[in-house]
Amino acid sequence: METWSLAALSVLLGLVVRWSVSLNFYSGAGKPPLYGDYEAQRHWQEITYNLPINQWYFNTSDNNLQYWGLDYPPLTAYHSFLCAYIANLINPDWIALNTSHGYESPTHKLFMRTTVFIADLIVYIPGLVLYCFCLKETSANKKVSILLCILLYPGLILIDYGHFQYNAVSLGFALWGVLGLSCNWHLLGSLAFCLALNYKQMELYHALPFFCYLLGKCFKQGLNGRGLALLMKVAFTVVASFALCWLPFLTDLEQILEVLRRLFPVDRGLFEDKVANVWCSLSILLKIKRILSPHTQLLLSFAFTVLALLPACIKLTLQPTLKGFKFALVNCSLAFFLFSFQVHEKSILLVSMPVCLIINEVPFVSTWFLLVSTFSMLPLLLKDGLLLPYIVTTLTFLLVSVTVLSVHEKTSEEAVGLKKVRFPGLRVWSNTISYSFIVSVIMMAVLTFTSATLIPPVRFPDLFPVLISCVSCAHFMVFLIYFNIVYLWDSQNEGNRKKTC
Amino acid sequence: MAAPRRSMDSSGRCWFLALALGVSLLKCLLIPTYYSTDFEVHRNWLAITHSLPVSQWYYEETSQWTLDYPPFFSWFEYALSHVAKYFDREMLVTRNLNYSSNATVLFQRFSVIFTDILFIYAVSECCKTIDNKKAKQNVLEQPAFILAVLLLWNFGLLIVDHIHFQYNGFLFGLMLLSVARLSQKRYLEGALLFAVLLNLKHIYLYVAPAYGVYLLRSYCFTAFKPDGSVRWHSFSFLRAVSLALIVCFVFALSLGPFIVLGQLPQVLSRLFPFKRGLCHAYWAPNFWALYNAVDKSLLIIGMKFKFLDADKIPTASMTGGLVQEFQHTVLPTVTPLATLICTFISIMPSVFCLWFKPRGPRGFLQCLTLCALSSFMFGWHVHEKAILLAILPFSLLSVKSRKEAGIYLILATTGHLSLFPLLFTTPEFPIKILLMLLFTLYSFSSLKTLFRKEGPLLNWPETLYLTGLVPLEVICEAVYPLTAWNERLPFIPLLLTSVYCAFGISYAWLRLYVTVLTEPTAVKQRKDQ
């Protein structure tokens, strides 16, 4: 069969799964007074459509910031405005100012789901298809296999189509950024990444690798000649695209500061709910939130984050290769997720996206990581009533990656990229790796089963969420070390060879 | 990938397993979708069989959805109800009409998914009868693999069973299994399976002639002349008796209790309700849809040019298409007997062909498909779902020859599209479109690849016709509801779909008939013997 029809089949399959998941519940369905992210997105449509642009981020009598106040950058607000415009054409009640709070109806759900679907179809999926087809040194069938696997990654589907968010847009723009850089269209890449940043500030997790890669490229071309020109061009693109996105807010300094205050709420605390990161897991043993002052917490998390991401960034600046760039994206975002301030459980998607991109290089570990990342959001998904789609999509992903990528056969040292790593007295056997994978999968299955069926003891109402986040955090720590080792030990030679093709 | 033959087989098996698991997972994803009144029908049957003695099964009428499947299906529901009580006891109470708690939905949906295991097994048996002698390197291009996808991922079966809600999966499983047994020359097993199937759902009576003639010819006769015709003296009484014994035993098991209770007339009157109209509420795309359409257009033309007197026309016919009783105004009204005769006449040639031009299992499958298609074309009160009865067995032939692959594409695409009105709810709209595209794209590209050395599968008028389905669908689903006519004439999209698809299905039926009648005899026969 032709490659294009296989690719089209994969995309169609991905879309079927997406839409089927979207028939399930969304976050906060029928749960007044605060509802959930679904209501947040609807509320933003209401705000952006009914209020003048200079009041969007301000607390006014019509805009109670305590009730799902807008806290994403301008592009999200524009997107909300666009959706609200269409919503108004269909049914003005959906976005009526103040009276529409908590509006829920089957038709409205359908409308909201469709907006996600269309955004996904416009931004994320084309980017993904192009990315897979631009992969080098891979056969046509392999490209389609990779495409199918990434399309079926359950985490993104469950959060966007189940829980309800528009992660596919920001991640999609970031993907377009990666695509641009890998095709040597540096300006297009930086433009796409700026759009991603202006859609969700969390995209900052990916910012450093983009910066280091482009900087490294400039250094490589010589800072006197073409490199400087490239640097100027990239800098101009970035500034211009930012200016364009922020244009309506540039009228007043107070406006800009208010938006920034909304985007980076430092007073919200080190972490929220149960996140699978280091701080949350540590707080079982010692209550960091109580022991240290907020300021110290901020400094501490900043210091750890920088330490964790420094090696990858330095290597990337010195050797700006494409493979290195993708690994650096993984390392940096994972470091941010594990150590930075105010992390949400959904932020793991920011790590998953680059991990999807290296599924070709390290299929086994990537698949493992993607499974764990979905698992780490289980408490959230359970709260939304998405247990069945969670189980089904996870099994589908596992099935697809085993069949089309045969990940189970790729556990040898060479396949996981650890061949060059030689620690004295320490050897990694492929059996160890596959056994630990099986143990990990069984652990996740058991935890899923128990937290779905058992009622936790009264003394520890959060027992299962905490267990899940600790297990996931332990996994993520190992993955952080692993990805760093693979990247840092990846020799210069190979890097050069990869770059030339 | 110069893999040796054995590892080739094992990789094929892996792929088959992955396909089966994948489609089962997809079915699980479809659990929260819309379900039709058939859901309540089956829930009611669960309740009837669970809470009432056998003697009242076919008399109970608290709900309008009375038990109208043969006894084995009632026993099947009875067995299911013993699992159902662990999910939710309330669904087993006959008074609880339209009861649909979460546990009930989960149970009913999972019961369909679970019983589909039989279908999966049957498909794997069917795939074994397809020889992969071409030994292509790529598993994806093996006929057996393509057949597995065409059957397991069949669009019609997915939406009818797992969205609309019915238990066709395991029934078709039984049918395919009996087909596979017949082609493996395990005739008695095949006959047993088909007899059981008939007592599960009597719609399979449509294809019974093919079974009867094929079994008689290839099992009861043991020797053949060189040209393939039977030697009459070789008739084996022993075989005929054992065949008859098996079939009678199954029927006795099924109908016996009701004969003892003296309820046979009641059971039969439930199974064959001739009180219903010629066409279902939505016209199945068959000959009668065309007949109705011609009648209607003649009426309109007649009214316009004053050939007909408006006073003499019964008013009910003007709202036709939505009411069950359809009175023809210009053309003669069709009676059940007329449809029966038409069906009989249209089936005959294929059955004769099976007898006089034997082509082994291939001829049997052709005859089976023709029986199903003919009765679909001319039957009384045919449901659009009945087209699956032709599409599924015909999939087996589509991977064998180029000509049949072309007919299959026309039949499957139009037949599946004609199922669209089953799902009319908006949330399911994207699913049906996407699944249809998925299946159609796969069937086209895989069959094209399979026969790429033998030229194109479709000629240009056929391609044009199939392309026409796209604008048809766009007009019916998107454009027409926005126009002013939608208020006054809401049935126009259904009518258009059914008439347009009726052309395709009639064409596929005719072409298959022509192929079967003109194909040379005894080419394959020698090999099969």
Side-chain angles (χ1 to χ4, degrees), chain A residues 1-2 4-6 8-10 12-13 15-21 23-25 110 117 141 388-389 391-393 395-397 399 403-404, chain B residues 14-15 18 21-22 25-26 28-33 106 110 138 140-141 153 426-428 430-431 434-435 437-438 441-442 445-446 448-449:
Chain A
M1 277 164 75
E2 298 101 335
W4 74 262
S5 56
L6 283 174
L9 289 173
S10 310
L12 282 171
L13 201 60
L15 293 178
V16 168
V17 172
R18 281 165 163 70
W19 191 264
S20 313
V21 170
L23 297 172
N24 288 282
F25 297 110
L110 198 64
F117 192 69
N141 277 356
L388 183 73
I391 295 173
V392 175
T393 49
L395 288 180
T396 311
F397 178 71
L399 175 76
T403 351
V404 302
Chain B
C14 282
W15 272 101
L21 267 176
L25 288 169
L26 180 67
C28 292
L29 266 189
L30 295 177
I31 285 177
T33 51
L106 269 185
F110 273 126
N138 197 343
L140 294 180
E141 293 176 11
W153 286 72
T426 333
E428 280 71 29
I431 291 193
L434 292 170
L435 277 178
L437 282 176
L438 191 69
L441 181 65
Y442 180 79
S445 55
S446 62
K448 212 173 88 186
T449 318

Side-chain angles (χ1 to χ4, degrees), chain A residues 301-488:
Chain A
S301 70
F302 180 74
F304 270 94
T305 316
V306 169
L307 272 180
L309 52 78
L310 212 52
C313 285
I314 292 174
K315 174 154 182 184
L316 182 64
T317 321
L318 299 178
Q319 293 169 13
T321 65
L322 206 54
K323 188 185 171 195
F325 172 54
K326 291 187 227 164
F327 272 93
L329 275 175
V330 175
N331 286 326
C332 287
S333 48
L334 193 51
F336 267 110
F337 178 81
L338 282 174
F339 297 109
S340 78
F341 200 74
Q342 245 287 308
V343 176
H344 290 260
E345 62 272 64
K346 282 159 277 179
S347 307
I348 194 65
L349 292 180
L350 290 154
V351 193
S352 303
M353 196 275 286
V355 174
C356 284
L357 303 184
I358 55 168
I359 208 165
N360 192 23
E361 278 87 359
V362 279
F364 176 73
V365 184
S366 304
T367 317
W368 191 357
F369 178 91
L370 293 174
L371 286 173
V372 177
S373 73
T374 316
F375 170 73
S376 76
M377 294 182 288
L378 181 63
L380 180 80
L381 300 172
L382 277 179
K383 218 186 287 168
D384 296 340
L386 296 170
L387 178 66
L388 183 73
Y390 162 75
I391 295 173
V392 175
T393 49
T394 308
L395 288 180
T396 311
F397 178 71
L398 192 61
L399 175 76
V400 167
S401 47
V402 166
T403 351
V404 302
L405 285 183
S406 1
V407 285
H408 55 294
E409 289 161 7
K410 294 179 179 155
T411 53
S412 67
E413 275 179 41
E414 192 174 1
V416 295
L418 288 178
K419 202 176 181 192
K420 298 196 194 64
V421 190
R422 285 276 181 272
F423 291 112
L426 180 81
R427 268 186 60 89
V428 189
W429 287 282
S430 74
N431 276 349
T432 334
I433 297 174
S434 42
Y435 283 139
S436 52
F437 174 70
I438 290 166
V439 168
S440 142
V441 167
I442 290 173
M443 195 151 65
M444 291 195 280
V446 167
L447 269 176
T448 306
F449 181 75
T450 49
S451 52
T453 51
L454 297 186
I455 299 159
V458 186
R459 271 187 63 207
F460 309 105
D462 282 339
L463 178 68
F464 294 123
V466 167
L467 271 180
I468 289 172
S469 69
C470 288
V471 168
S472 319
C473 179
H475 275 94
F476 293 147
M477 283 304 288
V478 176
F479 282 125
L480 180 71
I481 296 166
Y482 165 80
F483 283 126
N484 267 301
I485 289 175
V486 171
Y487 178 41
L488 297 177

Side-chain angles (χ1 to χ4, degrees), chain B residues 2-49:
Chain B
R5 187 60 189 264
R6 229 183 57 213
S7 80
M8 187 82 179
D9 281 354
S10 79
S11 88
R13 213 168 304 133
C14 282
W15 272 101
F16 182 83
L17 228 89
L19 278 177
L21 267 176
V23 79
S24 302
L25 288 169
L26 180 67
K27 290 167 186 173
C28 292
L29 266 189
L30 295 177
I31 285 177
T33 51
Y34 144 91
Y35 47 80
S36 72
T37 47
D38 276 338
F39 181 84
E40 167 63 10
V41 171
H42 287 94
R43 192 219 43 87
N44 185 41
W45 294 357
L46 277 179
I48 290 177
T49 50

Side-chain angles (χ1 to χ4, degrees), chain B residues 235-256:
Chain B
F235 183 75
S236 156
F237 270 101
L238 184 69
R239 288 188 169 194
V241 167
S242 55
L243 202 61
L245 267 181
I246 282 183
V247 175
C248 289
F249 173 69
V250 171
F251 272 86
L253 210 59
S254 156
L255 295 174

Side-chain angles (χ1 to χ4, degrees), chain B residues 81 100 109 157 327 388 436 473-474:
Chain B
S81 71
S100 59
R109 289 284 199 202
L157 212 49
Q327 261 180 312
L388 292 179
M436 175 78 184
E473 182 54 21
V474 171

